Amino acid sequence: MLVVHPERCTACRLCELACTFHQDGVFHPLKARLTVGIFPEDDVFVPIICEQCEVAACQEACPSGAITRNLETGALEVNTSRCVGCRMCVMACPFGTMVHVDVDGKMQKCDLCKGDPQCVAVCPWGALEYVEPNDAALARRREVARRLAGVLKGVRV
């Protein structure tokens, strides 16, 4: 699983570029499976990643069963041959990490690069970390979620 250390993020967005280059062969941040949330008024930058939820709303909302868990990596993955592009997963995901691919109308999400996340490999600041799920990592995720909730408290959409 990925762990975010927001205090180390500088919003360089190399993670977004590495993601799309690895996944799609192009540098295109809008197609990245993660996004860097930038809150300049608070001087806060937070990589927003798929949480690979144990009970995943995206998976449960998918009417075609296109989202399944890779038992080797633990990542939830989209089977594009089954995806109908209905975007139910987009509406269900509380983190906004589903990506609609304009070319074929299918959905995509972080698949942890099959166990070798390129966003982690290129981050020069260590803002992203790939770790085995355990209690320490879960505690860290809760801390990040608590901080993010505090930052977003004043944000209006």
Side-chain angles (χ1 to χ4, degrees):
M1 68 189 247
L2 294 177
V3 175
V4 176
H5 301 281
E7 71 279 4
R8 298 179 187 168
C9 182
T10 63
C12 68
R13 302 177 72 193
L14 286 173
C15 53
E16 295 173 351
L17 296 175
C19 174
T20 57
F21 187 72
H22 178 76
Q23 297 288 347
D24 304 319
V26 295
F27 295 111
H28 196 308
L30 292 178
K31 293 183 177 181
R33 277 72 168 169
L34 76 160
T35 303
V36 177
I38 300 173
F39 306 95
E41 63 280 352
D42 296 317
D43 200 25
V44 172
F45 315 112
V46 181
I48 300 168
I49 61 170
C50 175
E51 297 293 328
Q52 310 295 346
C53 303
E54 189 172 318
V55 178
C58 62
Q59 184 180 27
E60 292 191 358
C62 180
S64 62
I67 300 174
T68 57
R69 188 170 306 275
N70 179 324
L71 297 178
E72 232 176 84
T73 65
L76 290 161
E77 298 178 351
V78 177
N79 179 338
T80 55
S81 67
R82 296 188 71 171
C83 178
V84 296
C86 68
R87 302 184 191 204
M88 293 297 291
C89 54
V90 174
M91 291 187 274
C93 176
F95 303 103
T97 58
M98 297 300 299
V99 178
H100 182 257
V101 181
D102 290 333
V103 175
D104 62 4
K106 308 289 183 169
M107 302 308 300
Q108 289 294 322
K109 63 173 293 308
C110 174
D111 63 1
L112 298 174
C113 297
K114 309 294 184 203
D116 185 23
Q118 295 304 295
C119 55
V120 172
V122 300
C123 181
W125 315 110
L128 293 168
E129 183 181 6
Y130 182 60
V131 299
E132 296 295 323
N134 58 35
D135 291 341
L138 291 175
R140 183 75 184 156
R141 291 173 102 180
R142 288 187 184 109
E143 175 61 20
V144 169
R146 186 189 63 74
R147 289 182 188 176
L148 183 59
V151 169
L152 295 176
K153 193 178 283 182
V155 175
R156 295 177 190 223
V157 180

